[in-house]
Amino acid sequence: MAYTAQPAGFLADTIQRIYDYTNEPDENPKWTPDKLFPLIRGSYGRCMLDVNGVGQNPIVVRFDITTTATQRTYMLPPNVGQVIAIGKVNSQTGEFYERIIPRTRLSPFMAGVTFEGPLVRFEPIWGVAETLRVLYIPNGDCALHLGTVAEADTTTTSVKINIAPTEGYFDRRPNAYLGSMLRLLSATVSSAAAYPSGYTYYPIQERPITGMVPTSLVATVDTAFDFDPATAITGSAIHTYEIVPFMGDLFQDAIAWDVAAMVNGTEKRYTEKADCMKNRLNQMRMIRQNLSHYNSRSGTLLRSGSFATTRWGWTV
């Protein structure tokens, strides 16, 4: 027979797993989604920081800074985890072509560029109007939410974010969603399920968010969706979407066990807490092993693109 359908949405599915791991009732639970939400969000951040340095191929976010002749410091997005590089952008091609190497603070030529929490500081001041690009790995901080959007507010590469989501909440910090994943889950027309032309189901679309305009709330994704959500469905469609952290599915069970351990500990169920922690550690070990060997083609040490090897150059 067919199994019971999973909860609609990533956040609801994670909460259901926590209920299962803590033997918490679904009806009138003591630990409501409102209480679990900040625990889930904090757990994602910790787990992402734990493994960010392991994988060779994490999602990399590109954030552009427009310098001026007088400004010394510039704000970075709130979800910067690890800065990989900063450099110039070619005004004609848009290519990232020259990297700026930070110097020590004790250098007689000054530090050049330093990263101080949410700020990037130039010493000395950059002095000219140019576009600089910061490449960074996001830290996993994400205000997960599930909401709806009218087809008129979508394109093949963008979705207007709903500031009043059905689940979770909208993160009002500028650029907070860069590097997070946007998923189109389903669509309805006059409250009935609807599918894109040529499909007998709604194919879930998952794309990383590469840009967002704070004033219009339009989030841009890369690459384009498989269909145009604005025109692929007959009638005035309402699409259901969600925003989740990058690599969220890989971490979902680890997060659920982690939060379940916190719940069991708070309820003084210490034996159950210890069991949850063991399961969480096993899951994190599997994640680290997977990410450390994600790129098995060229290995992880002394790769041909490194100056430290004698194999620098073309490789066949």
Side-chain angles (χ1 to χ4, degrees), residues 150-211:
E151 65 176 22
D153 292 324
T154 66
T155 69
T156 55
T157 57
S158 69
V159 169
K160 184 177 181 180
I161 302 301
N162 192 334
I163 62 174
T166 307
E167 298 177 10
Y169 65 84
F170 171 73
D171 197 326
R172 293 178 293 170
R173 298 174 299 172
N175 299 309
Y177 288 119
L178 293 182
S180 297
M181 305 299 294
L182 186 144
R183 292 173 175 168
L184 294 178
L185 299 177
S186 62
T188 59
V189 174
S190 300
S191 300
Y195 316 125
S197 176
Y199 291 89
T200 57
Y201 63 95
Y202 191 100
I204 294 176
Q205 304 292 291
E206 181 178 81
R207 301 290 190 275
I209 297 175
T210 56

Side-chain angles (χ1 to χ4, degrees), residues 4 30 207 226 241 264 275 285 290 302-304 314:
T4 302
K30 177 180 178 181
R207 301 290 190 275
D226 296 339
Y241 75 94
N264 283 325
D275 184 63
R285 178 177 179 272
N290 177 75
L302 293 178
R303 298 172 64 177
S304 58
W314 292 100

Side-chain angles (χ1 to χ4, degrees), residues 67-255:
T67 61
T68 69
T70 58
Q71 189 171 346
R72 182 182 298 277
T73 60
Y74 299 84
M75 283 293 298
L76 293 171
N79 65 341
V80 174
Q82 296 180 18
V83 176
I84 298 176
I86 179 172
K88 295 182 181 180
V89 178
N90 188 301
S91 60
Q92 301 297 321
T93 64
E95 295 296 326
F96 181 71
Y97 75 99
E98 183 177 342
R99 298 193 179 190
I100 303 165
I101 307 300
R103 295 185 292 267
T104 173
R105 292 177 183 272
L106 301 180
S107 170
F109 302 101
M110 306 180 70
V113 58
T114 58
F115 297 94
E116 302 174 351
L119 298 175
V120 56
R121 176 185 295 271
F122 293 102
E123 296 179 343
I125 293 175
W126 194 255
V128 294
E130 287 185 311
T131 298
L132 302 181
R133 179 164 295 167
V134 179
L135 274 61
Y136 71 90
I137 301 172
N139 60 14
D141 181 22
C142 174
L144 298 85
H145 81 233
L146 180 142
T148 57
V149 59
E151 65 176 22
D153 292 324
T154 66
T155 69
T156 55
T157 57
S158 69
V159 169
K160 184 177 181 180
I161 302 301
N162 192 334
I163 62 174
T166 307
E167 298 177 10
Y169 65 84
F170 171 73
D171 197 326
R172 293 178 293 170
R173 298 174 299 172
N175 299 309
Y177 288 119
L178 293 182
S180 297
M181 305 299 294
L182 186 144
R183 292 173 175 168
L184 294 178
L185 299 177
S186 62
T188 59
V189 174
S190 300
S191 300
Y195 316 125
S197 176
Y199 291 89
T200 57
Y201 63 95
Y202 191 100
I204 294 176
Q205 304 292 291
E206 181 178 81
R207 301 290 190 275
I209 297 175
T210 56
M212 183 168 176
V213 181
T215 52
S216 66
L217 300 175
V218 173
T220 305
V221 301
D222 188 19
T223 56
F225 299 125
D226 296 339
F227 58 88
D228 187 348
T231 61
I233 298 176
T234 302
S236 298
I238 301 296
H239 295 269
T240 297
Y241 75 94
E242 65 179 353
I243 295 179
V244 299
F246 76 103
M247 295 191 294
D249 286 333
L250 188 64
F251 287 86
Q252 189 173 29
D253 233 17
I255 302 308

Side-chain angles (χ1 to χ4, degrees), residues 39-71:
L39 300 181
I40 292 172
R41 183 177 176 183
S43 185
Y44 266 113
R46 290 193 300 274
C47 288
M48 291 296 180
L49 290 174
D50 187 9
V51 301
N52 266 346
V54 177
Q56 292 278 332
N57 300 277
I59 288 178
V60 175
V61 180
R62 293 160 176 81
F63 179 72
D64 288 350
I65 297 172
T66 301
T67 61
T68 69
T70 58
Q71 189 171 346

